[in-house]
Amino acid sequence: MGLALGLGLGMRRLSPFLGLILAGVLSLVPMLGVASPAEPAPVAAPAPVPAPMPVRHLILFIGDGRNLADDIATSRYLFGHDAGLSYQRLPYQGQVATWDVTTYDRYAAEAGAAPYDPQAIEPRLGYDWTLGGRASYPRDDPPTAGDYFLSLPNPFATDSAAAATAMVTGHKTVKGAIAWGTGTAGEGLGGPLPTLAELLRAHLGFAIGIVSTVPFSHATPAALVSHGPRRDDYPALAAQILGETRPEVVIGGGFPGHSGIASFKYLSRETHAQVKADPAYLMVERQPGVDGAVSLLEAAQAAASTGRKLFGLFGGPQGNFESPLAHDLPGTPLLTRATVENPLLKDAVLAALRVLTQDPDGLFLLAEQGDIDWANHANDYQRMIGTVWDLHKAVQTVIDYVNRPGDGMTWENTLLLVASDHATGYTRLIIPLGPGDLPRQAGAGACGYDSREPCTYPDGEVSYGATNHTNEPVPLYAAGTAAAPLLSAVEGTWYPGTDLIDNTQLFHVMAAAAGLPQVSPLKLKAVAPAIPATPLATPQESVGH
């Protein structure tokens, strides 16, 4: 059954579960109008009555540091048009605001406003859509955007820790915090914040998996399955993940051996030894000359057949899986693995699904392509193409898995989200390029993330405005019967006149889809008047500016 047929059938049959959940989600929308300071408007309604047919497979992809321009550029390289990637063809397409408490407080200070209060949030302080745009570039690119996003040497923007925390806990927090509250009322009082993985496991018995192309104790995967005020405390986070939370699947970078990082930076020697000796885990690591995709999938097969958990540890000298290579061959797009010793993201996701689907109660998989961010920090267009292709192939793997008959996964019981935690690099596409064509990249061999020297583009096909994160909205794609109704219900409720979703609302959409809706502790102080609607470019339209 093809993608269009599989998704189409799912979207036409709305289950009794979805009707009940959607009624609950829609019931909160009228309460999101202007509220008086004395009685802020809540941003989530009380939990609706549990329903008999909840989603049992939640899959959240995060393209770290990915923006819509990256998707368009990669699609042009692969297919010669703007919307050919696997996830660009999913039924739901929107965008997400990503600001954190640190960003909010900086904008508030500039405006002379009060700092962040979870009981009186002014969303326009976190992201002002009248200046930055009502949608991701290039769908909207107002003349004020450059000054708004780049007016300071270090633009105001979230980091991956706070952004991932928002998506998996429904709470805003400060930069660097891993599922950890800010210390203010309603935000955990400086302590651990319950994650969606913990709730789904405790209440519904879900199996949990994290997959990343960067070290597994890095901010994004760690936020789902560990807690701490400091994202760079990698050994402590790794010990929590593998010794306390103990997900059914952990696959990522940070390998400390041959061709790896040559140190125990991302997990301690003790944790490494303990997991290796743990009979509950089947551990597979990078090996010289051994195809990492094959060894990982063989280990997944063995773990699934013996009822064990899976720990896959790979990565190169920087800790990440070395990024796929895009080649400059106009008319002939070509991407190759940097080394066979690491799996691609698609291999890791397939291995994770092989193990997680053994649990009849359900699964939650977070899969991150983390190298997109590393490429964009370096303004490395060529590497960015390779990393976004890696994400594209991994999402296609999930689509094929759901469409495959007989495995129990259908679009009625699966919710697939493809998100980004934040934008990086302020990428702007100036001259459209065709299939297989890459811009001339000055400093080849001397620029890139490893050297920390940004790449430049003397022929002007592409430009970058930053080497760090920006507060731009980021794209969101989704599939599954529950996707469009639940996501559409929260569009613009924080950001009137737009279809923007706040990143904290993704937590509530996922929880509601699984039949475990949560009441949000966050409240809006007021909502600004709606902006007059003007047509926006669709993602399918060719944009070369």
Side-chain angles (χ1 to χ4, degrees):
M1 181 167 58
L3 172 62
L5 176 61
L7 295 181
L9 287 174
M11 293 301 293
R12 284 196 294 269
R13 293 198 302 264
L14 296 182
S15 67
F17 158 76
L18 182 57
L20 287 171
I21 291 296
L22 183 57
V25 173
L26 289 174
S27 70
L28 68 91
V29 175
M31 296 188 288
L32 294 171
V34 176
S36 67
E39 189 174 354
V43 299
V49 177
M53 293 179 61
V55 164
R56 280 293 173 253
H57 311 103
L58 284 173
I59 302 170
L60 172 62
F61 279 97
I62 296 177
D64 199 308
R66 191 185 105 255
N67 53 60
L68 182 58
D70 296 338
D71 294 339
I72 291 172
T74 305
S75 181
R76 288 175 178 175
Y77 175 86
L78 293 172
F79 307 111
H81 60 88
D82 289 2
L85 301 181
S86 57
Y87 50 85
Q88 289 180 303
R89 302 191 301 269
L90 297 181
Y92 177 86
Q93 301 185 21
Q95 50 259 323
V96 175
T98 66
W99 57 270
D100 63 1
V101 172
T102 306
T103 301
Y104 185 100
D105 285 349
R106 288 175 176 173
Y107 278 125
E110 278 199 341
Y116 178 79
D117 178 352
Q119 301 299 297
I121 299 169
E122 297 184 63
R124 194 161 161 179
L125 286 174
Y127 176 65
D128 191 338
W129 57 97
T130 68
L131 300 176
R134 293 185 290 121
S136 310
Y137 166 87
R139 286 192 62 208
D140 196 14
D141 190 24
T144 52
D147 286 341
Y148 177 65
F149 292 123
L150 305 175
S151 61
L152 301 168
N154 185 19
F156 296 167
T158 186
D159 76 337
S160 295
T165 296
M167 288 188 276
V168 303
T169 72
H171 290 259
K172 297 285 189 181
T173 192
V174 295
K175 280 187 180 181
I178 300 288
W180 197 264
T182 62
T184 57
E187 285 293 331
L189 296 176
L193 299 169
T195 72
L196 183 57
E198 293 166 340
L199 294 170
L200 292 173
R201 176 183 271 181
H203 294 280
L204 301 176
F206 271 38
I208 305 301
I210 57 170
V211 169
S212 181
T213 61
V214 300
F216 73 92
S217 54
H218 251 226
T220 301
L224 184 67
V225 287
S226 64
H227 305 271
R230 293 178 54 240
R231 61 173 288 174
D232 59 356
D233 196 358
Y234 302 119
L237 295 171
Q240 274 192 63
I241 293 168
L242 293 166
E244 298 177 24
T245 309
R246 297 172 64 79
E248 281 68 27
V249 173
V250 177
I251 303 171
F255 173 62
H258 166 82
S259 299
I261 198 166
S263 71
F264 285 88
K265 177 178 180 180
Y266 295 108
L267 78 168
S268 70
R269 189 182 299 273
E270 293 73 21
T271 298
H272 184 268
Q274 287 168 4
V275 179
K276 212 165 191 175
D278 187 344
Y281 271 103
L282 195 160
M283 183 173 175
V284 57
E285 298 181 273
R286 179 173 180 166
Q287 301 176 59
V290 175
D291 190 315
V294 174
S295 63
L296 177 60
L297 289 166
E298 287 177 344
Q301 191 80 3
S305 63
T306 58
R308 299 171 71 186
K309 301 172 186 284
L310 176 65
F311 179 37
L313 189 58
F314 296 88
Q318 302 300 318
N320 63 303
F321 299 4
E322 287 96 331
S323 303
L325 303 173
H327 299 268
D328 188 13
L329 296 170
T332 309
L334 175 66
L335 293 109
T336 56
R337 292 166 70 180
T339 172
V340 298
E341 293 180 8
N342 287 322
L344 292 169
L345 182 60
K346 70 180 182 67
D347 306 316
V349 166
L350 183 59
L353 289 175
R354 181 70 182 90
V355 175
L356 296 173
T357 52
Q358 301 307 300
D359 190 326
D361 295 321
L363 66 89
F364 181 23
L365 172 63
L366 184 154
E368 178 198 29
Q369 214 309 332
D371 302 72
I372 302 171
D373 183 55
W374 295 25
N376 283 339
H377 273 292
N379 297 170
D380 191 339
Y381 185 96
Q382 182 179 21
R383 184 178 182 185
M384 179 274 292
I385 295 293
T387 56
V388 175
W389 170 81
D390 196 32
L391 176 65
H392 151 71
K393 297 295 285 186
V395 175
Q396 186 62 53
T397 294
V398 170
I399 292 169
D400 293 342
Y401 203 101
V402 177
N403 282 338
R404 186 177 69 185
D407 60 10
M409 291 182 71
T410 69
W411 291 111
E412 288 196 332
N413 64 23
T414 300
L415 175 61
L416 168 63
L417 299 173
V418 183
S420 176
D421 52 352
H422 55 75
T424 301
Y426 202 71
T427 311
R428 293 297 183 264
L429 307 177
I430 311 303
I431 302 173
L433 299 169
D437 197 6
L438 296 174
R440 185 163 67 92
Q441 196 158 302
C447 72
Y449 191 84
D450 295 352
S451 68
R452 301 286 176 160
E453 290 295 327
C455 304
T456 58
Y457 301 87
D459 297 336
E461 302 99 330
V462 62
S463 72
Y464 290 86
T467 57
N468 41 27
H469 303 173
T470 62
N471 198 33
E472 298 170 88
V474 293
L476 173 69
Y477 308 90
T481 301
L486 292 178
L487 290 164
S488 298
V490 296
E491 288 178 354
T493 52
W494 279 40
Y495 309 96
T498 78
D499 61 358
L500 286 166
I501 294 172
D502 192 74
N503 57 5
T504 57
Q505 293 176 307
L506 295 180
F507 165 83
H508 292 286
V509 166
M510 290 187 288
L516 196 66
Q518 303 293 300
V519 177
S520 175
L522 308 183
K523 295 180 181 179
L524 305 185
K525 178 179 179 181
V527 175
I531 305 166
T534 55
L536 291 175
T538 66
Q540 288 75 28
E541 290 175 347
S542 178
V543 181
H545 65 281

